[in-house]
Amino acid sequence: MNRVSARTVTWLLVLVALAVTQVLQSHLPDPTSSSRPFDRTGKVGQTIALRSGDLEVTTVRGATSAVVGSPPGFRSPGVIVVASFTWSARTERATLSAGELRASSGRTYVVSAVGLDRGRIDCGASSPGLVRQCTVLVEAPPDALEGATLVLSPTDDGRFDDEAVVDLGIDAATAARWARTGAITVPGGHYVGQAP
Amino acid sequence: MTVDGQRPGAGRHRAPNDPVQPGQAGQPGEQALPTDPAGRLRTWLADRPFQHYAYAVGAVLLALTGIFGGLRTVDTTVAPLAGGRPVTAAPLTITITRTSWTTNLGPPGKAPAGQRFLTVAGTVRNDTATSVGSDVLGRAVHLQGVPDVYQDSFGDDVGASESASPWGIFVTQDSTRLAYVGPGLTYQAAWVFRQKDTQPAPTSVTVEVDGHTFRADTIDGTMKWLDPAVVATGTLPMKAAGS
């Protein structure tokens, strides 16, 4: 009888431990917070230093259609935002492979290096000491552009590393003008010189 | 061993007309039945067939889920799908307008020899606050009951259309591949599947639209749109493109 009671107590302890674990897990901080990226903020024309390199968004344009490389390009039901930026790796070859446009309302528009024909980052891996000219395309409705920021990250999921958060400086008038603008041509990425 | 080869005491059960009192051995070598309640319980448990143990384990596991929030309820409501009628299929709103087949999509390409394209066209809008990727887009629309459909975009595996992923999802106005749908954007889109042309071209197809549930992935805990489930289904006429 004592053995049966001991087993019963053991099982009850196991169940209690599982339940306590569940309660603790629901009350502890989100585990993804420990892997969240470090935001490095800046604005257009400002150099932002990341762990793996420096970037500077030089120009921001917008239109309803874009030609990337060769025609015919593509059209958007919203606005195609094209940001040009320079990127120079710090100590080893590195690139910026993912990002998103963050609207002031909280909505996010993902852009990826493997975005196929439409929104994407065109920025090959840069060697240390050289500056690479890169572009990023992302589609968003005009009402999401005022006060939007562009986030660029060296990792696909943005975790465990720095990410650049760039205020694109878009106001309502600019967004409305871009919604009426026709095609813009987007240059491909290339090296433009040596890093200072 | 006995003469007939039976092990002494091997027969646990007795004939109904040959009762044995508790604590009293029957034939020579037969074990006496226990008299205490715990012993009787052990004997009773030992006599249960294996299936009963399986049922008991299942019942215990089911009861234990209660400690961890219980089983999730699933909405199995399936709405009728009609051409041109929007369907809410979280995280998207999808409107199927037409279906057609062709061997030449134009800029996206021609069908390989022995294949044809089956196209489901309509509009897709993202109703959430974050972009929806091609994984969810690809699971959101599929065909039902169409034979010999290629199962993915690159392989040669052929099977039932229910399990087939589209060859591609294209924006119809410029023939580019649609990888993401951002919040608040509505695209004219076409889900394109491949079918062996040894089958006759369908004159009608049943289209199913799937919705998803936003929940934590059981593997890495990240929040994703998972668990596709049919939310609308309907049969639409299918004609050759351009006819």
Side-chain angles (χ1 to χ4, degrees):
Chain A
M1 190 65 184
N2 287 339
R3 283 182 56 202
V4 173
S5 298
R7 283 181 190 170
T8 304
V9 169
T10 303
W11 278 108
L12 282 174
L13 286 175
V14 169
L15 290 177
V16 168
L18 287 170
V20 168
T21 304
Q22 185 73 7
V23 171
L24 281 176
Q25 191 176 13
S26 65
H27 285 80
L28 288 172
D30 182 359
T32 58
S33 64
S34 59
S35 61
R36 69 186 186 281
F38 298 91
D39 287 353
R40 307 301 181 194
T41 58
K43 56 187 180 181
V44 176
Q46 200 172 56
T47 299
I48 299 175
L50 305 183
R51 180 193 61 81
S52 51
D54 296 331
L55 77 84
E56 179 186 336
V57 174
T58 52
T59 61
V60 183
R61 298 180 292 161
T64 55
S65 63
V67 176
V68 184
S70 58
F74 68 97
R75 295 183 60 190
S76 174
V79 169
I80 303 164
V81 176
V82 182
S84 299
F85 62 96
T86 57
W87 166 248
S88 56
R90 193 175 311 284
T91 56
E92 58 185 0
R93 281 176 66 82
T95 187
L96 295 168
S97 58
E100 64 186 20
L101 184 85
R102 288 181 186 163
S104 56
S105 64
R107 289 183 290 177
T108 57
Y109 298 83
V110 170
V111 60
S112 166
V114 290
L116 301 174
D117 305 327
R118 304 178 74 90
R120 60 182 170 186
I121 297 175
D122 183 3
C123 191
S126 165
S127 297
L130 295 176
V131 178
R132 193 171 181 88
Q133 180 68 52
C134 305
T135 55
V136 56
L137 286 80
V138 59
E139 295 178 69
D143 63 4
L145 299 182
E146 183 181 2
T149 55
L150 177 66
V151 180
L152 295 169
S153 171
T155 58
D156 289 342
D157 56 11
R159 298 188 303 169
F160 300 111
D161 208 339
D162 287 347
E163 67 179 13
V165 181
V166 186
D167 181 354
L168 296 179
I170 304 171
D171 56 22
T174 302
R177 179 163 48 82
W178 287 351
R180 298 189 302 269
T181 303
I184 53 176
T185 302
V186 180
H190 56 277
Y191 283 114
V192 292
Q194 292 186 346
Chain B
M1 296 291 282
T2 57
V3 175
D4 61 2
Q6 189 177 26
R7 187 163 47 86
R12 187 183 297 275
H13 299 284
R14 299 183 59 82
N17 59 353
D18 190 16
V20 173
Q21 296 301 315
Q24 182 183 22
Q27 295 176 0
E30 191 170 54
Q31 196 172 6
L33 290 175
T35 56
D36 61 304
R40 285 184 180 179
L41 180 62
R42 279 197 297 272
T43 304
W44 182 82
L45 287 172
D47 281 346
R48 297 305 94 197
F50 175 75
Q51 288 92 331
H52 289 192
Y53 284 103
Y55 296 151
V57 170
V60 169
L61 289 176
L62 197 61
L64 285 176
T65 61
I67 300 175
F68 307 102
L71 298 178
R72 188 168 52 81
T73 57
V74 176
D75 184 3
T76 56
T77 306
V78 178
L81 177 71
R85 183 185 298 169
V87 172
T88 301
L92 307 166
T93 294
I94 294 173
T95 305
I96 303 299
T97 54
R98 67 184 189 281
T99 62
S100 61
W101 67 267
T102 185
T103 55
N104 187 356
L105 285 172
K110 294 181 178 178
Q115 301 178 21
R116 72 168 66 88
F117 292 123
L118 306 179
T119 300
V120 180
T123 64
V124 57
R125 186 184 74 226
N126 180 352
D127 298 324
T128 69
T130 58
S131 295
V132 171
S134 56
D135 53 340
V136 174
L137 286 171
R139 292 192 300 256
V141 173
H142 53 91
L143 304 174
Q144 199 268 335
V146 180
D148 283 354
V149 174
Y150 287 83
Q151 297 297 292
D152 50 47
S153 58
F154 47 84
D156 291 328
D157 290 342
V158 172
S161 57
E162 290 84 343
S163 56
S165 300
W167 177 70
I169 305 166
F170 297 91
V171 178
T172 53
Q173 61 187 358
D174 52 32
S175 299
T176 53
R177 284 184 182 267
L178 185 59
Y180 290 98
V181 176
L185 292 173
T186 302
Y187 289 89
Q188 305 279 338
W191 286 258
V192 179
F193 300 86
R194 295 181 296 150
Q195 185 192 31
K196 271 191 165 180
D197 69 1
T198 50
Q199 292 285 343
T203 55
S204 66
V205 290
T206 298
V207 178
E208 292 182 336
V209 176
D210 281 21
H212 292 71
T213 301
F214 195 61
R215 66 168 175 85
D217 191 310
T218 49
I219 303 298
D220 59 12
T222 57
M223 297 298 290
K224 296 176 180 174
W225 289 100
L226 300 167
D227 305 332
V230 178
V231 295
T233 182
T235 302
L236 302 173
M238 175 169 273
K239 299 178 180 178
S243 64

